[in-house]
Structures are given as structure tokens and as C-alpha cells.
Amino acid sequence: MRTPCPAGPDGPPSGPVLSLGLHSWSVQRPPGALPAQPPEPAVDPGMEPHPAPAGEAQMQPCPPADALAAEPVARPAARPPARPAAPLPDHAAALPSAQAAAGEFARMRRLSLLLAAPLSAEDQSLQSMPDASPTKWHLAHTTWFTETLLLQPHAPGYAAFDARWGRLFNSYYESLGPRHPRPERGLLSRPGSEEVLRFRAHVDLAVAQWLQSLSSGDWLGDDVGPGGGQAARLLPLLRLAQAHEEQHQELILTDILHALSRNPLEPAYRGPARASGARAASSAPSSAPPSTPRWLHHPGGLVTTGADVADARRFVFDNEGPRHRAWLPPFEIAARPVSCGEFIAFIDAGGYRNPAWWTSDGWAAVQAQGWQAPLYWRDEGNGRYSRYTLDGRIPVDPADPVCHVSWLEAAAFAAWAGARLPTEAEWEVAWSAAPAPTGLTPQRLAQGPLHAQAADPGAALQPPGEVWEWTASSYSPYPGFRPFAGVASEYNGKFMVGQMVLRGGSWATPAGHVRPSYRNFFPPSARWQFSGLRLARDA
């Protein structure tokens, strides 16, 4: 068996080192290892890249250590006293028309229905564990969110579809009243799936009619009269509702995958495999082994991370900001995520049997849960493994990024490999100029594959986008963090304890959420998300 990583503690994975900096790409490569030109930085339409502040580390080939130490460091400007809450971003500087906003919102809502389309009413009612939710509940909850935060307070004359449903579909908003227990969402046989679809249609029509009814003067005007200038107030809420549902679109897939995995027949999400590249578990992997690990070098120094929450040109969550400075020692980060082949080497080396690599909580989980491999994997004998996916059970391809591992497993693998997980600041500055992944699209949903895969198994450089990547950072507020005002203040801040940060996005992450500053977070033991890892090490 080919073993890309060392099979024991003798040292870190070896491989060529590439030079990396902050705002563009600079690589040193052996002949034939990488394209002749580095990829161009991805910049969203209408977005200007953030310039590096004076005194901040620039994107250059790694300077000598003594030269870096001699660089003067600019003192950050004093920050004004923090206020208790931040308003949602002021989008007045970049306002689409009401019709354009309505069209974008409607397209997002249709994707949720596409995700539910392959599922029967019985499928949509399944809840396989307390952490997951039925598809029907996701469809209803996101609709309730739009109705409660947007339509009821702001759309003249709007009447709730059923005022009793708030108790059923409120998730965790204490300020909005009592809630049905999360572990019992699968017991809600009523309302049924058809009634939930009528609820969605009712809210979709109300949003469309309301926005279409606004003249450009009402939407973009100067707050003259009862309807004037509504965009500056309402577009942030509309974008929050859209971003909220995009999060649940990925959860629909992770949760139904877990539910279907409990069925002994292991059905595919879309029924019999179509033109998705899905393979029978007994067939051979379709791609070559992964390339030799390579490392991207970053010189460290004073860096700026985080997002400008008040920037009107795109929506970001409150936990992504504010932009702030941090000092990083020099480091290296792997040019691609850890592959299935490398993780098999960890298994074969006794990784799940040796407590030396594990945190105390990690080893306790291995013992209590009987972990022997990533979630959904099965040992097929003769050194081969299969994994259950939305395409059904398929052979584990050594070149694919490993998926469905917890932070506890990721940290154990990193320790065994003689490396570590990157901090979220290291991760962000390393990939801030990487080409943007496409994320979940209707095309991938229709054509597949519906699992993480290596787009180019032989490529030395594989930016994020197929699996979420665990970091070494706990989920905590940035310096100067202020939650959104009002009900939205409960969205992120109150969960900043007992969670670890993931970065990058997966194949199932909607495109609007695949950005360098996005902070996903889950408990260290969570395995049912599309989560993998990328290694880092001190330079």
C-alpha cells in the first residue's frame, strides 16, 4: 500500500515547500509539479481587495528571518469603545433594485425545493439523531424565519400563514417565544409535507408581491412618506434570511445522509445511481493515488483577518468581523487537504488503537463510540474500504479528501503525522487569494457526484472547497465583536463556547457561503458534516 504520510511518529510528512504570502500567490515548484503561472486571485464582482495596512506583512517570497525581524511594526489605531450591539450592515451604497432582490431570493428558495425533490414524504419526516433535523422541518423553519423577521414586521397587511407554527419551527430564538424540543422534531407528523409546501408558497408569493409592488422611489428614496427608502432598512434582513436558508440547504443534505445511512438497504438519495460517477462498493477506485504532499510557506508577521461587517457590497455574518490584526509566526500549510489514502495509512498504523495521538476527550470518544474509521466507512477486507454517500455506497478513493471526521480525529491524525491543524488566522491568510470554489449548484445536484472528491488528484495545489477544514481555533469572538441588533443578536454570539472553527466550505456549501472569512463551527465530536482537514506546521 502506498503511504503518502509517515506510518509512525518519526517525523512530519515530507515534500516540496511552496512560498506563500497574503494577497497573491507566489510558488516555487519543481519542473512539471504546478502550472507555470499561479492562479489569479478571486475577487467578487464589485469588490475591491482590502489593501494591506502599513506595517503589515506583504505577499512576498519568504524573506530571511533576520530581515523579517528588523521590519518595523505599525501600532494599530486605538479602537473606539465597543457598543453592546451592531446594526445589520448599511447596504445603501450597493442597492439592487427591488425586482433584482426578489429574483435572487426566489432562485435561492427554489434550490431548497430541488434538494427536497428526490425525497418522499416519509424521507422528509426522518430524524435520525438529536443533532439532525427532518427535511420537512428545515423547509418550514427557514420559511418561518423569513415570515417572522421580514414579512410580519415590515410587509403592510401581511397575515401569518398559521400563528401556531412558531412554536414548532422556532429553533433557538428565546426572544420569539417557546419552542418544540429539538430532539423531538421527528415526532411532528403534522403539519405534513404538502402543507409545509403550501406554507412556503404562501410566503414566497408574499415576498415577491411585496417587493414587486415597491416603486424605485419607495425602494431607493429618501425616507419621505411611509414607504420611502425601504431598501436601506430591509435589504439587510432579506440577505440575512437568504444566508440563513443557504446554511440550512447544506444541513438538509448532511441530515438526510445520516438518516438514510441508518437504513440497512443504504439507499441512494436520488434512487438508483445516474450519471453521477457513483460506483459500486466492489469496484476499483477510479483515480490515481494522491500526489506527494507539498507545503505552502508563509513568512508570518502582522496580518489582518476578518471581514468588514458594515461593507454593503456583500453580506457577511456578524461573527466574521470586525477586521482586526494579529501576529503570526512563520508557518507552512499543506497545499491540499488530507486524502483518504493518507487517512488509511493512519488507520493501518493503529491510529484508532493508540491513545498517544489523541486528546483525552478524543480517546474517550474512541472508546465509548467504538470509532475505527471515519463516519460511514466500512472495511471491505484486503486493505480496501467503502463509504456511504448520497450516491449510495462507493469504494473509498485514496485520492479523494477524507470526509466525515471529527475535530478529535483530525487532531489525532495531525499529531500522528508530525504536524498540527492550522489556526483560523493562518488558514484565512493562506487562502485569502485562492480561486473561489463553485459550491453547491443545481448542476452538481443534477449531475453529481454528491460526495467530496479530488477535482484533480495529481495536482499539487488543491484549494479549499470540497470539505470543510477543521482548524485549531476555538469558536470565540474577535476583538471588538458586536452581535447584530435585535432578534438577529441570537444568531451567532451565544454559541461562542465549546465549539471548534471550520473553514473553507464543502461541495454542498451554497456558493454565497464559500469565502475566506466565513466561520463555520461545530462541537469537537461532530462527524456528520462534510468535514475534513488540512495540515499545518511551524516554519
Side-chain angles (χ1 to χ4, degrees):
M1 176 181 297
R2 184 176 182 273
T3 307
C5 283
D10 297 330
S14 60
V17 176
L18 313 179
S19 177
L20 174 72
L22 288 181
H23 297 291
S24 62
W25 294 67
S26 177
V27 296
Q28 299 168 351
R29 63 184 183 94
L34 284 173
Q37 296 295 327
E40 291 293 327
V43 179
D44 291 339
M47 292 291 292
E48 294 293 332
H50 292 283
E56 182 174 314
Q58 300 289 321
M59 179 62 165
Q60 299 290 342
C62 180
D66 54 352
L68 180 63
E71 288 292 325
V73 177
R75 184 180 301 277
R79 190 172 60 245
R83 290 173 286 179
L88 287 167
D90 178 5
H91 292 255
L95 297 178
S97 68
Q99 291 73 24
E104 182 181 352
F105 188 77
R107 284 190 294 274
M108 177 277 299
R109 295 276 288 175
R110 285 195 293 270
L111 180 58
S112 297
L113 297 182
L114 286 176
L115 294 171
L119 304 174
S120 67
E122 293 81 4
D123 291 333
Q124 294 189 39
S125 295
L126 291 173
Q127 183 179 22
S128 52
M129 62 173 174
D131 286 338
S133 297
T135 301
K136 180 181 70 174
W137 188 90
H138 286 297
L139 295 176
H141 163 72
T142 52
T143 304
W144 165 86
F145 187 94
T146 298
E147 180 182 69
T148 304
L149 270 70
L150 189 64
L151 289 175
Q152 286 184 306
H154 300 290
Y158 178 81
F161 184 81
D162 191 321
R164 303 171 300 166
W165 287 12
R167 188 183 188 107
L168 304 181
F169 302 125
N170 182 359
S171 53
Y172 51 72
Y173 296 93
E174 300 286 349
S175 60
L176 295 178
R179 299 164 310 287
H180 185 75
R182 179 177 180 176
E184 298 181 7
R185 290 171 182 169
L187 301 179
L188 298 174
S189 61
R190 299 180 186 180
S193 297
E194 291 298 323
E195 197 166 4
V196 166
L197 292 181
R198 287 195 291 272
F199 178 32
R200 288 183 64 88
H202 173 85
V203 167
D204 288 346
L205 181 62
V207 170
Q209 290 180 338
W210 172 43
L211 293 178
Q212 295 288 346
S213 70
L214 297 172
S215 68
S216 63
D218 290 335
W219 182 247
L220 302 173
D222 295 325
D223 287 331
V224 177
Q230 294 192 60
R233 298 190 302 272
L234 302 181
L235 189 61
L237 288 173
L238 185 68
R239 287 178 169 171
L240 175 62
Q242 179 167 335
H244 168 258
E245 183 153 349
E246 287 175 333
Q247 289 180 322
H248 280 268
Q249 288 170 345
E250 183 164 5
L251 289 172
I252 286 174
L253 293 177
T254 59
D255 291 0
I256 195 61
L257 173 62
H258 191 272
L260 294 177
S261 77
R262 310 301 297 165
N263 186 328
L265 300 180
E266 296 187 323
Y269 159 73
R270 296 177 300 182
R274 300 184 297 183
S276 63
R279 306 180 303 274
S282 59
S283 65
S286 63
S287 63
S291 60
T292 302
R294 288 180 170 85
W295 297 88
L296 306 176
H297 181 83
H298 191 283
L302 185 65
V303 301
T304 298
T305 65
D308 183 356
V309 178
D311 190 334
R313 291 169 290 184
R314 64 174 180 174
F315 178 87
V316 296
F317 286 106
D318 54 2
N319 67 350
E320 297 178 59
R323 286 182 66 77
H324 59 283
R325 292 182 176 185
W327 180 267
L328 297 180
F331 69 93
E332 293 170 352
I333 192 167
R336 58 167 173 77
V338 169
S339 69
C340 291
E342 290 162 339
F343 210 88
I344 290 173
F346 170 67
I347 298 172
D348 291 347
Y352 282 92
R353 301 190 301 273
N354 187 348
W357 311 121
W358 296 82
T359 63
S360 177
D361 286 352
W363 186 245
V366 169
Q367 300 296 102
Q369 304 298 326
W371 291 351
Q372 298 180 13
L375 183 63
Y376 307 130
W377 281 34
R378 185 170 71 201
D379 188 346
E380 301 291 349
N382 298 320
R384 290 192 173 188
Y385 290 83
S386 66
R387 58 176 172 143
Y388 181 69
T389 72
L390 290 169
D391 287 318
R393 184 160 291 280
I394 64 173
V396 167
D397 191 319
D400 287 345
V402 69
C403 190
H404 297 298
V405 293
S406 65
W407 182 91
L408 301 171
E409 291 163 290
F413 177 91
W416 167 82
R420 59 177 174 82
L421 299 178
T423 67
E424 62 172 325
E426 289 173 334
W427 192 101
E428 186 172 328
V429 299
W431 296 109
S432 60
T438 57
L440 179 66
T441 63
Q443 291 73 26
R444 181 152 186 177
L445 190 61
Q447 301 172 9
L450 301 184
H451 57 267
Q453 67 169 11
D456 185 356
L461 187 66
Q462 295 183 19
E466 283 294 305
V467 293
W468 286 101
E469 299 177 8
W470 287 107
T471 73
S473 300
S474 60
Y475 180 50
S476 58
Y478 286 153
F481 166 75
R482 290 181 292 146
F484 287 150
V487 173
S489 67
E490 297 189 57
Y491 203 101
N492 283 310
K494 69 181 185 179
F495 298 108
M496 291 178 172
V497 62
Q499 319 257 14
M500 301 302 290
V501 173
L502 303 96
R503 290 298 195 105
S506 79
W507 68 268
T509 305
H513 285 212
V514 183
R515 55 182 178 266
S517 63
Y518 189 95
R519 306 174 77 199
N520 200 356
F521 56 93
F522 277 94
S525 60
R527 309 173 88 201
W528 91 106
Q529 295 302 301
F530 298 116
S531 52
L533 70 148
R534 185 184 297 263
L535 296 178
R537 62 188 184 186
D538 299 336

